[in-house]
Coordinates of all heavy atoms in Angstrom, one line a residue:
M1 N -9.7 2.2 -14.2 CA -8.8 3.3 -14.1 C -7.4 2.8 -14.1 O -7.0 1.9 -13.3 CB -9.2 4.0 -12.8 CG -8.6 5.4 -12.7 SD -9.3 6.4 -11.4 CE -8.4 5.8 -10.0
I2 N -6.6 3.4 -14.9 CA -5.2 2.9 -15.1 C -4.3 3.1 -13.8 O -3.4 2.3 -13.5 CB -4.6 3.4 -16.4 CG1 -3.4 2.5 -16.8 CG2 -4.1 4.9 -16.2 CD1 -3.2 2.5 -18.3
S3 N -4.5 4.2 -13.1 CA -3.7 4.5 -12.0 C -4.0 3.6 -10.8 O -3.4 3.6 -9.8 CB -3.9 5.9 -11.6 OG -5.2 6.1 -11.2
E4 N -5.1 2.8 -11.0 CA -5.6 2.0 -9.8 C -4.6 1.0 -9.3 O -4.5 0.8 -8.1 CB -6.8 1.2 -10.3 CG -7.8 1.1 -9.1 CD -9.1 0.5 -9.5 OE1 -9.7 1.1 -10.5 OE2 -9.5 -0.5 -9.0
R5 N -3.7 0.4 -10.1 CA -2.8 -0.5 -9.6 C -1.3 0.0 -9.8 O -0.5 -0.8 -10.3 CB -3.0 -1.9 -10.2 CG -4.1 -2.6 -9.4 CD -4.1 -4.1 -9.8 NE -5.2 -4.4 -10.7 CZ -5.0 -5.1 -11.8 NH1 -3.8 -5.6 -12.1 NH2 -6.0 -5.3 -12.6
M6 N -1.1 1.2 -9.4 CA 0.2 1.8 -9.5 C 0.9 1.9 -8.2 O 0.2 2.3 -7.2 CB 0.1 3.2 -10.1 CG 1.4 3.8 -10.4 SD 1.2 5.4 -11.3 CE 0.6 6.4 -9.9
C7 N 2.1 1.4 -8.1 CA 2.8 1.5 -6.8 C 3.0 3.0 -6.4 O 3.4 3.8 -7.2 CB 4.2 0.8 -7.0 SG 5.3 1.1 -5.6
V8 N 2.7 3.2 -5.1 CA 2.9 4.6 -4.7 C 4.3 5.1 -4.6 O 4.6 6.3 -4.6 CB 2.2 4.8 -3.2 CG1 0.7 4.7 -3.3 CG2 2.9 3.9 -2.2
A9 N 5.3 4.1 -4.6 CA 6.7 4.5 -4.5 C 7.3 4.7 -5.9 O 7.8 5.7 -6.2 CB 7.4 3.5 -3.7
C10 N 7.3 3.6 -6.7 CA 8.0 3.7 -8.0 C 7.1 4.1 -9.1 O 7.6 4.4 -10.2 CB 8.7 2.3 -8.3 SG 7.5 1.0 -8.6
R11 N 5.8 4.2 -8.8 CA 4.8 4.6 -9.8 C 4.7 3.8 -11.1 O 4.3 4.2 -12.1 CB 5.1 6.1 -10.3 CG 5.3 7.0 -9.1 CD 4.3 8.2 -9.2 NE 4.0 8.8 -7.9 CZ 2.7 9.0 -7.5 NH1 1.7 8.7 -8.3 NH2 2.5 9.5 -6.4
K12 N 5.1 2.5 -10.9 CA 4.9 1.6 -12.0 C 3.6 0.9 -11.9 O 3.2 0.6 -10.8 CB 6.1 0.6 -12.0 CG 7.4 1.1 -12.6 CD 8.4 0.1 -12.6 CE 9.8 0.7 -13.0 NZ 10.9 0.1 -12.2
I13 N 3.0 0.6 -13.0 CA 1.8 -0.2 -13.0 C 2.2 -1.7 -12.9 O 3.1 -2.1 -13.6 CB 1.0 0.0 -14.3 CG1 0.8 1.4 -14.7 CG2 -0.3 -0.8 -14.3 CD1 -0.2 2.2 -13.8
Q14 N 1.6 -2.4 -11.9 CA 2.0 -3.7 -11.7 C 0.8 -4.6 -11.7 O -0.3 -4.2 -11.5 CB 2.7 -3.8 -10.3 CG 3.9 -3.0 -10.1 CD 5.2 -3.6 -10.6 OE1 5.1 -4.6 -11.3 NE2 6.3 -3.1 -10.3
S15 N 1.0 -5.9 -11.8 CA -0.1 -6.9 -11.7 C -0.3 -7.1 -10.2 O 0.6 -6.9 -9.4 CB 0.2 -8.2 -12.4 OG 1.4 -8.7 -11.9
K16 N -1.5 -7.6 -9.9 CA -1.9 -7.8 -8.5 C -0.9 -8.6 -7.7 O -0.6 -8.4 -6.5 CB -3.2 -8.5 -8.4 CG -4.5 -7.7 -8.6 CD -5.6 -8.6 -8.4 CE -7.0 -7.9 -8.6 NZ -8.1 -8.8 -8.5
E17 N -0.3 -9.6 -8.4 CA 0.5 -10.6 -7.7 C 1.8 -9.9 -7.2 O 2.4 -10.4 -6.2 CB 1.0 -11.7 -8.7 CG -0.1 -12.5 -9.3 CD -0.8 -11.8 -10.5 OE1 -0.2 -11.6 -11.5 OE2 -2.0 -11.5 -10.3
N18 N 2.1 -8.8 -7.8 CA 3.4 -8.1 -7.3 C 3.1 -6.9 -6.4 O 4.0 -6.2 -6.0 CB 4.1 -7.5 -8.5 CG 4.5 -8.6 -9.5 OD1 4.9 -9.7 -9.0 ND2 4.5 -8.4 -10.8
L19 N 1.8 -6.8 -6.0 CA 1.4 -5.6 -5.2 C 0.7 -6.0 -3.9 O 0.2 -7.1 -3.7 CB 0.5 -4.7 -6.0 CG 1.0 -4.0 -7.2 CD1 -0.2 -3.4 -8.0 CD2 2.0 -2.9 -6.8
I20 N 0.8 -5.1 -2.9 CA 0.0 -5.2 -1.7 C -0.9 -4.0 -1.8 O -0.5 -2.9 -2.1 CB 0.9 -5.1 -0.5 CG1 1.8 -6.4 -0.4 CG2 0.1 -5.0 0.8 CD1 2.9 -6.3 0.6
R21 N -2.2 -4.2 -1.4 CA -3.2 -3.1 -1.4 C -3.4 -2.7 0.0 O -3.6 -3.5 0.9 CB -4.5 -3.6 -2.1 CG -5.5 -2.4 -2.2 CD -6.7 -2.8 -2.9 NE -7.5 -1.7 -3.2 CZ -8.8 -1.4 -2.7 NH1 -9.3 -2.3 -1.9 NH2 -9.4 -0.3 -3.0
I22 N -3.4 -1.4 0.2 CA -3.8 -0.8 1.5 C -5.1 0.0 1.2 O -5.2 0.7 0.2 CB -2.7 0.2 2.0 CG1 -1.3 -0.4 1.9 CG2 -3.1 0.7 3.4 CD1 -1.1 -1.6 2.8
V23 N -6.0 -0.2 2.1 CA -7.3 0.5 1.9 C -7.7 1.2 3.2 O -7.5 0.8 4.3 CB -8.4 -0.6 1.5 CG1 -8.7 -1.6 2.6 CG2 -9.7 0.2 1.1
R24 N -8.2 2.4 2.9 CA -8.8 3.2 4.0 C -10.3 3.2 3.9 O -10.9 3.8 3.0 CB -8.3 4.6 4.0 CG -8.9 5.4 5.2 CD -8.6 6.9 5.1 NE -7.3 7.3 5.4 CZ -6.7 7.4 6.6 NH1 -7.5 7.1 7.7 NH2 -5.5 7.7 6.8
I25 N -10.9 2.4 4.8 CA -12.4 2.4 4.8 C -12.8 3.5 5.7 O -12.2 3.7 6.8 CB -12.9 1.0 5.3 CG1 -12.4 -0.1 4.3 CG2 -14.4 1.0 5.5 CD1 -12.5 -1.5 4.8
K26 N -13.8 4.2 5.3 CA -14.3 5.4 6.1 C -14.5 5.1 7.5 O -15.1 4.1 7.9 CB -15.6 5.9 5.5 CG -15.5 7.4 5.1 CD -16.8 7.9 4.6 CE -16.7 9.4 4.5 NZ -17.9 10.0 4.0
G27 N -13.8 5.9 8.4 CA -14.0 5.7 9.8 C -13.0 4.7 10.5 O -13.0 4.6 11.7
L28 N -12.3 4.0 9.6 CA -11.3 3.0 10.2 C -9.9 3.4 9.8 O -9.7 4.2 8.9 CB -11.7 1.6 9.6 CG -13.0 1.1 9.9 CD1 -13.2 -0.2 9.1 CD2 -13.2 0.8 11.4
N29 N -9.0 2.7 10.5 CA -7.6 2.9 10.2 C -7.2 2.2 8.9 O -7.9 1.1 8.6 CB -6.7 2.4 11.3 CG -6.7 3.3 12.5 OD1 -6.8 4.5 12.4 ND2 -6.6 2.7 13.7
P30 N -6.3 2.7 8.1 CA -5.9 1.9 6.9 C -5.5 0.5 7.2 O -4.9 0.3 8.2 CB -4.7 2.7 6.4 CG -4.9 4.1 6.9 CD -5.5 3.9 8.3
E31 N -5.8 -0.4 6.3 CA -5.5 -1.8 6.6 C -5.0 -2.5 5.3 O -5.3 -2.0 4.2 CB -6.8 -2.5 7.0 CG -6.9 -2.8 8.5 CD -5.7 -3.5 9.0 OE1 -5.1 -4.4 8.4 OE2 -5.4 -3.2 10.2
I32 N -4.3 -3.6 5.4 CA -3.9 -4.3 4.3 C -5.2 -5.1 3.7 O -5.9 -5.6 4.5 CB -2.8 -5.4 4.7 CG1 -1.6 -4.6 5.2 CG2 -2.5 -6.3 3.5 CD1 -0.6 -5.5 5.9
D33 N -5.4 -5.0 2.4 CA -6.5 -5.6 1.8 C -6.1 -6.7 0.9 O -5.7 -6.5 -0.3 CB -7.3 -4.5 1.0 CG -8.4 -5.2 0.2 OD1 -8.9 -6.3 0.6 OD2 -8.8 -4.6 -0.9
L34 N -6.0 -7.9 1.5 CA -5.5 -9.1 0.7 C -6.5 -9.5 -0.4 O -6.1 -10.1 -1.3 CB -5.3 -10.2 1.7 CG -4.1 -10.0 2.7 CD1 -4.1 -11.2 3.7 CD2 -2.8 -9.9 2.0
S35 N -7.8 -9.1 -0.2 CA -8.7 -9.5 -1.3 C -8.7 -8.6 -2.5 O -9.2 -8.9 -3.5 CB -10.2 -9.4 -0.7 OG -10.5 -8.0 -0.5
F36 N -8.1 -7.4 -2.3 CA -8.0 -6.4 -3.4 C -9.4 -5.8 -3.7 O -9.6 -5.2 -4.7 CB -7.4 -6.9 -4.7 CG -5.9 -6.9 -4.6 CD1 -5.2 -7.9 -4.0 CD2 -5.2 -5.9 -5.2 CE1 -3.8 -7.9 -3.9 CE2 -3.8 -5.9 -5.2 CZ -3.1 -6.9 -4.5
K37 N -10.4 -6.1 -2.9 CA -11.8 -5.8 -3.2 C -12.5 -4.9 -2.2 O -13.6 -4.5 -2.4 CB -12.6 -7.1 -3.4 CG -12.3 -7.9 -4.6 CD -13.1 -9.2 -4.7 CE -12.6 -10.1 -5.8 NZ -13.0 -11.4 -5.6
A38 N -11.8 -4.6 -1.1 CA -12.5 -3.8 -0.1 C -12.9 -2.4 -0.6 O -12.1 -1.8 -1.4 CB -11.6 -3.7 1.1
Q39 N -14.0 -2.0 -0.3 CA -14.5 -0.7 -0.7 C -13.8 0.4 0.1 O -13.8 0.3 1.3 CB -16.0 -0.6 -0.5 CG -16.9 -1.5 -1.3 CD -16.9 -1.1 -2.7 OE1 -17.2 0.1 -3.0 NE2 -16.7 -2.0 -3.7
G40 N -13.3 1.3 -0.6 CA -12.6 2.4 0.1 C -11.5 3.0 -0.7 O -11.2 2.5 -1.8
R41 N -10.8 3.9 -0.1 CA -9.7 4.6 -0.9 C -8.5 3.6 -0.8 O -8.0 3.3 0.3 CB -9.4 5.9 -0.2 CG -8.7 6.9 -1.1 CD -8.8 8.3 -0.4 NE -7.8 9.2 -0.9 CZ -7.6 10.4 -0.4 NH1 -8.4 10.8 0.6 NH2 -6.6 11.1 -0.8
G42 N -8.0 3.2 -1.9 CA -6.9 2.2 -2.0 C -5.6 2.8 -2.4 O -5.5 3.8 -3.2
A43 N -4.5 2.2 -2.0 CA -3.2 2.5 -2.5 C -2.4 1.2 -2.6 O -2.6 0.3 -1.8 CB -2.5 3.5 -1.6
Y44 N -1.4 1.2 -3.5 CA -0.7 0.0 -3.8 C 0.8 0.2 -3.6 O 1.3 1.3 -3.8 CB -0.9 -0.5 -5.2 CG -2.4 -0.8 -5.5 CD1 -3.3 0.3 -5.8 CD2 -2.9 -2.1 -5.4 CE1 -4.6 0.0 -6.0 CE2 -4.2 -2.3 -5.6 CZ -5.1 -1.3 -6.0 OH -6.4 -1.6 -6.2
I45 N 1.4 -0.9 -3.2 CA 2.9 -0.9 -3.1 C 3.4 -2.2 -3.6 O 2.8 -3.3 -3.4 CB 3.3 -0.7 -1.6 CG1 4.8 -0.6 -1.4 CG2 2.8 -1.8 -0.7 CD1 5.4 0.8 -1.4
C46 N 4.6 -2.1 -4.3 CA 5.2 -3.3 -4.8 C 5.7 -4.2 -3.6 O 6.0 -3.7 -2.6 CB 6.5 -3.0 -5.6 SG 6.2 -2.1 -7.1
K47 N 5.7 -5.5 -3.9 CA 6.2 -6.4 -2.8 C 7.8 -6.4 -2.8 O 8.4 -7.4 -3.1 CB 5.7 -7.8 -3.1 CG 4.3 -8.0 -2.7 CD 3.9 -9.4 -2.9 CE 2.4 -9.6 -2.6 NZ 1.9 -10.9 -3.1
N48 N 8.3 -5.2 -2.5 CA 9.8 -5.2 -2.3 C 10.1 -4.1 -1.3 O 9.4 -3.1 -1.2 CB 10.6 -5.1 -3.7 CG 10.4 -3.7 -4.3 OD1 10.8 -2.7 -3.7 ND2 9.9 -3.7 -5.5
S49 N 11.2 -4.3 -0.6 CA 11.5 -3.5 0.5 C 12.0 -2.1 0.0 O 11.9 -1.1 0.8 CB 12.6 -4.1 1.4 OG 13.6 -4.7 0.7
E50 N 12.6 -2.0 -1.2 CA 13.0 -0.7 -1.7 C 11.8 0.2 -1.8 O 11.8 1.4 -1.4 CB 13.6 -0.8 -3.1 CG 15.0 -1.4 -3.1 CD 15.0 -3.0 -3.0 OE1 14.0 -3.6 -3.1 OE2 16.1 -3.5 -2.8
C51 N 10.7 -0.3 -2.4 CA 9.5 0.5 -2.6 C 8.9 0.9 -1.2 O 8.5 2.0 -1.0 CB 8.5 -0.2 -3.5 SG 8.9 -0.1 -5.2
L52 N 8.9 -0.1 -0.3 CA 8.3 0.2 1.0 C 9.1 1.3 1.8 O 8.6 2.2 2.3 CB 8.3 -1.1 1.9 CG 7.7 -0.9 3.3 CD1 6.2 -0.5 3.2 CD2 7.8 -2.2 4.1
T53 N 10.4 1.1 1.7 CA 11.3 2.1 2.4 C 11.1 3.5 1.8 O 10.9 4.5 2.5 CB 12.8 1.7 2.2 OG1 13.0 0.4 2.7 CG2 13.7 2.7 3.0
A54 N 11.0 3.6 0.5 CA 10.8 4.9 -0.2 C 9.4 5.4 0.1 O 9.3 6.6 0.4 CB 10.9 4.7 -1.7
A55 N 8.4 4.6 0.2 CA 7.1 5.0 0.5 C 7.0 5.6 1.9 O 6.3 6.6 2.2 CB 6.1 3.9 0.3
V56 N 7.6 4.9 2.9 CA 7.6 5.3 4.3 C 8.3 6.7 4.4 O 7.8 7.6 5.0 CB 8.3 4.3 5.2 CG1 8.5 4.8 6.6 CG2 7.4 3.0 5.2
K57 N 9.5 6.8 3.7 CA 10.3 8.0 3.8 C 9.6 9.2 3.2 O 9.6 10.3 3.8 CB 11.6 7.7 3.0 CG 12.8 8.5 3.5 CD 14.0 7.8 3.0 CE 15.0 8.8 2.4 NZ 16.2 8.1 1.8
R58 N 8.9 9.0 2.1 CA 8.2 10.1 1.4 C 6.8 10.3 1.8 O 6.1 11.1 1.3 CB 8.2 9.8 -0.1 CG 9.6 9.8 -0.7 CD 9.5 9.7 -2.3 NE 10.6 9.0 -2.8 CZ 10.5 8.0 -3.8 NH1 9.4 7.6 -4.2 NH2 11.6 7.5 -4.2
K59 N 6.4 9.4 2.8 CA 5.0 9.5 3.2 C 4.0 9.3 2.1 O 2.9 10.0 2.0 CB 4.7 10.8 4.0 CG 5.6 10.9 5.2 CD 5.0 12.0 6.2 CE 5.9 12.1 7.4 NZ 5.9 10.9 8.3
S60 N 4.3 8.4 1.2 CA 3.5 8.2 0.0 C 2.1 7.7 0.3 O 1.1 8.1 -0.3 CB 4.1 7.2 -1.0 OG 5.5 7.6 -1.2
F61 N 2.0 6.8 1.3 CA 0.7 6.3 1.7 C -0.1 7.3 2.4 O -1.3 7.4 2.1 CB 0.9 5.1 2.7 CG 1.2 3.8 2.0 CD1 2.4 3.2 2.2 CD2 0.3 3.2 1.1 CE1 2.7 2.0 1.5 CE2 0.6 2.1 0.4 CZ 1.8 1.4 0.6
E62 N 0.5 8.1 3.2 CA -0.2 9.2 3.9 C -0.9 10.1 2.8 O -2.0 10.5 3.0 CB 0.7 10.0 4.8 CG 1.0 9.3 6.1 CD 2.2 8.3 6.0 OE1 2.6 7.9 4.9 OE2 2.8 8.0 7.0
R63 N -0.1 10.4 1.8 CA -0.5 11.3 0.8 C -1.6 10.6 -0.1 O -2.6 11.3 -0.4 CB 0.6 11.7 -0.1 CG 0.8 13.2 -0.3 CD 2.1 13.5 -1.0 NE 3.2 13.5 -0.2 CZ 4.5 13.4 -0.6 NH1 4.7 13.2 -1.9 NH2 5.5 13.5 0.2
A64 N -1.5 9.4 -0.4 CA -2.4 8.7 -1.2 C -3.7 8.4 -0.5 O -4.8 8.5 -1.1 CB -1.8 7.4 -1.7
L65 N -3.7 8.2 0.8 CA -4.9 7.8 1.5 C -5.4 8.9 2.4 O -6.6 8.9 2.8 CB -4.6 6.6 2.4 CG -4.2 5.3 1.6 CD1 -3.7 4.2 2.6 CD2 -5.3 4.8 0.8
G66 N -4.6 9.9 2.6 CA -5.0 11.0 3.5 C -4.9 10.6 5.0 O -5.2 9.5 5.3
G67 N -4.3 11.5 5.8 CA -4.2 11.2 7.2 C -2.9 10.4 7.5 O -2.1 10.1 6.7
S68 N -2.8 10.1 8.8 CA -1.6 9.4 9.3 C -1.8 7.9 9.2 O -2.9 7.4 9.1 CB -1.3 9.8 10.7 OG -2.3 9.4 11.5
I69 N -0.7 7.2 9.2 CA -0.8 5.7 9.1 C 0.1 5.1 10.2 O 1.2 5.6 10.5 CB -0.3 5.2 7.7 CG1 -1.3 5.6 6.7 CG2 0.0 3.7 7.7 CD1 -0.9 5.4 5.3
D70 N -0.5 4.2 10.9 CA 0.1 3.5 12.0 C 1.4 2.8 11.6 O 1.4 2.1 10.6 CB -0.9 2.5 12.7 CG -0.5 2.3 14.1 OD1 0.3 1.4 14.4 OD2 -1.1 2.9 15.0
K71 N 2.4 3.0 12.4 CA 3.7 2.3 12.1 C 3.6 0.8 12.0 O 4.3 0.2 11.2 CB 4.7 2.7 13.2 CG 6.1 2.6 12.7 CD 7.1 3.1 13.8 CE 8.5 2.5 13.6 NZ 8.8 1.5 14.6
S72 N 2.7 0.3 12.8 CA 2.5 -1.2 12.8 C 2.0 -1.7 11.4 O 2.3 -2.9 11.1 CB 1.6 -1.6 13.9 OG 0.3 -1.2 13.6
L73 N 1.3 -0.9 10.7 CA 0.9 -1.3 9.4 C 2.1 -1.5 8.4 O 2.1 -2.5 7.7 CB -0.1 -0.2 8.8 CG -0.7 -0.6 7.4 CD1 -1.8 -1.7 7.6 CD2 -1.2 0.6 6.7
F74 N 3.0 -0.6 8.5 CA 4.2 -0.8 7.7 C 5.0 -2.0 8.1 O 5.6 -2.7 7.2 CB 5.1 0.5 7.8 CG 4.5 1.7 7.2 CD1 4.4 2.9 8.0 CD2 4.0 1.7 6.0 CE1 3.9 4.0 7.5 CE2 3.4 2.9 5.4 CZ 3.3 4.0 6.2
E75 N 5.0 -2.3 9.4 CA 5.7 -3.5 9.8 C 5.0 -4.8 9.3 O 5.7 -5.7 8.9 CB 5.7 -3.5 11.4 CG 6.7 -2.5 12.0 CD 6.5 -2.2 13.4 OE1 5.7 -2.9 14.1 OE2 7.2 -1.4 14.0
R76 N 3.7 -4.7 9.2 CA 3.0 -5.9 8.7 C 3.2 -6.0 7.2 O 3.2 -7.1 6.7 CB 1.5 -5.8 9.1 CG 1.3 -6.4 10.5 CD -0.1 -6.5 10.9 NE -0.6 -5.1 11.1 CZ -1.8 -4.7 10.6 NH1 -2.5 -5.5 9.8 NH2 -2.2 -3.5 10.8
I77 N 3.3 -4.9 6.5 CA 3.6 -5.0 5.1 C 5.0 -5.6 4.9 O 5.1 -6.5 4.0 CB 3.5 -3.5 4.4 CG1 2.1 -3.0 4.5 CG2 4.0 -3.6 3.0 CD1 2.0 -1.5 4.1
E78 N 5.9 -5.2 5.7 CA 7.2 -5.7 5.6 C 7.3 -7.2 5.8 O 8.0 -7.9 5.1 CB 8.1 -5.0 6.6 CG 9.6 -5.1 6.3 CD 10.4 -4.1 7.1 OE1 9.9 -3.5 8.0 OE2 11.6 -4.0 6.8
E79 N 6.4 -7.7 6.8 CA 6.4 -9.1 7.0 C 5.9 -9.9 5.8 O 6.4 -10.9 5.4 CB 5.4 -9.4 8.2 CG 6.0 -9.3 9.5 CD 5.0 -9.3 10.6 OE1 4.0 -10.0 10.5 OE2 5.3 -8.7 11.7
I80 N 4.9 -9.3 5.1 CA 4.4 -9.9 3.9 C 5.5 -10.0 2.8 O 5.7 -11.0 2.2 CB 3.1 -9.2 3.3 CG1 2.0 -9.3 4.3 CG2 2.7 -9.7 2.0 CD1 0.8 -8.5 4.0
I81 N 6.2 -8.9 2.7 CA 7.3 -8.8 1.7 C 8.3 -9.8 1.9 O 8.9 -10.5 1.0 CB 7.9 -7.4 1.7 CG1 6.9 -6.4 1.1 CG2 9.2 -7.3 0.9 CD1 7.3 -4.9 1.2
N82 N 8.7 -10.0 3.2 CA 9.8 -10.9 3.6 C 9.4 -12.3 3.7 O 10.3 -13.1 4.0 CB 10.4 -10.4 4.9 CG 11.1 -9.0 4.7 OD1 11.6 -8.8 3.6 ND2 11.1 -8.2 5.7
V83 N 8.2 -12.7 3.4 CA 7.8 -14.1 3.5 C 8.5 -14.9 2.3 O 8.6 -14.4 1.2 CB 6.3 -14.3 3.4 CG1 5.9 -15.7 3.0 CG2 5.7 -13.9 4.8
Ligands
ZN1 ZN1 7.1 0.0 -6.5

């Protein structure tokens, strides 16, 4: 599926190396999926703070995954971006 690796913020198709995957596994809170293989509803974000800021502001992850997302998840994504 072509939309599978599209950033939720800028909507560009990116390669895995440039993306972070967030997955919502049924019954659990959304988590960062470093393997890119976890079963569940996934959403992707570019590894840059512009996309993260836009996604947080527009609630793109909430929309893509359904439900609310813990603020600490965004903080951890930011940590990965800033490494
Ligand atoms: Zn992006």
Side-chain angles (χ1 to χ4, degrees):
M1 196 165 82
I2 201 150
S3 64
E4 214 173 304
R5 276 195 260 131
M6 186 176 73
C7 171
V8 292
C10 67
R11 307 234 153 233
K12 283 181 188 141
I13 310 288
Q14 302 275 14
S15 61
K16 276 186 187 177
E17 300 79 66
N18 298 324
L19 292 168
I20 295 167
R21 183 175 192 248
I22 310 301
V23 65
R24 181 191 286 281
I25 298 165
K26 234 181 168 179
L28 299 173
N29 289 326
E31 257 310 324
I32 296 168
D33 173 26
L34 294 173
S35 73
F36 279 81
K37 286 176 188 160
Q39 295 285 314
R41 205 163 155 185
Y44 299 83
I45 182 97
C46 297
K47 283 181 185 168
N48 71 58
S49 43
E50 287 82 9
C51 284
L52 181 61
T53 305
V56 171
K57 209 161 136 187
R58 294 183 210 138
K59 299 197 180 295
S60 308
F61 279 116
E62 284 86 339
R63 236 174 272 160
L65 299 172
S68 65
I69 290 173
D70 203 276
K71 202 174 160 252
S72 67
L73 184 74
F74 295 128
E75 288 166 2
R76 277 184 289 131
I77 294 171
E78 202 165 8
E79 274 170 32
I80 294 173
I81 290 170
N82 290 328
V83 161

